[in-house]
Amino acid sequence: MKTLISSENTDFWNGRRYYSVDSYLKQTYGEKVYRLALNGGMTCPNRDGTLGTGGCIFCSAAGSGDFAQQREKSIAAQLAAAKEQIRSKRNCRKFIAYFQAYTNTYAPTGYLRQIFTEAIMDSDVVILSVATRPDCLSPEILNLLAELNRIKPVWIELGLQTIHPQTSRFIRSGFTLACFHEAVAALSQRHIPVIVHVILGLPGESREQMLETVRHVGDLNVFGIKLQLLHILSDTDLGAIYRENPFRLLTQDEYCELVTDCLERLPKEITIHRLTGDGPKNLLIAPLWSSAKRSVLNQIEQTLKKRDTWQGKHYEYTEFEQKT
């Protein structure tokens, strides 16, 4: 059952026109909670030869962990270093331990128990967040995550990117939509919140196809969504394709309008964990406007206001949900 939120209840969204994860965390923990990006030293079945060797075509050599800590350090040392970096600029007490680089359940259960427990037992950590693939969640790993979730909240981030098979094959995701659905169901059965990654602007996809993916995610029993702008990095196969045969990318205006369309079509209670994306500036080929992240976020806010719209405005709840 979805919990309906009035579009006029801006206090619930901290004055925003969408339900940001920052609003959720402040409501839950009474203050801002910061994310610590960690590296568990894992790889990916799409890199080690199990499914392939090149990874997804957009994925950097760091396995999307370009901003994570160094894998040579212990988890405790990574946490300490990441906290020191943030506290040198901000006064903060509570953190999310975020295993970001590569596929963070692609390892023996015993090893995962060791590193996840080390992170979740840190007194400053209030949430354990794990980025992984839907095809790397065995029953043993699911049970471990459920066990940890009884200690502190555990979030699982799944990289769906698109629901369209042709695009999925092009980006070499290596799993099916059915596999993704099975993973979401298995995690939901264990009361583990799921956050879904979606990439906007994938080659060959129309605006309607992107909105179909977002609507599909909105209809699932998930906690949150990350809307990620497609950005092209120099050390990726997508970067090589773009250099050889440049294809059209979304402009900043087009992207902000598209994100607004997406927010309108998501249920009001799903938490928004990202509205854009910015790769390392030394690797970014295009679109260069994406590096000005604050400008993009401000324009999205202005687009929402200009169109007098908000998250969930055009989401169609069922009759049962409307009554409850």
Side-chain angles (χ1 to χ4, degrees), residues 49-50 53 72 86 107 119 161 181 221 240 308 320:
T50 302
T53 56
E72 291 79 12
I86 294 178
Q161 321 310 356
H181 287 159
N221 183 26
D308 189 25
F320 172 75

Side-chain angles (χ1 to χ4, degrees), residues 201-241:
L202 288 167
E205 287 205 344
S206 65
R207 170 185 172 277
E208 185 54 40
Q209 285 179 306
M210 296 178 223
L211 292 178
E212 285 174 0
T213 294
V214 170
R215 281 194 295 262
H216 188 93
V217 173
D219 288 337
L220 298 174
N221 183 26
V222 299
F223 168 65
I225 188 171
K226 283 187 173 181
L227 297 174
Q228 168 75 52
L229 165 70
L230 177 72
H231 55 263
I232 301 172
L233 303 180
S234 60
D235 66 343
T236 64
D237 288 348
L238 185 61
I241 292 171

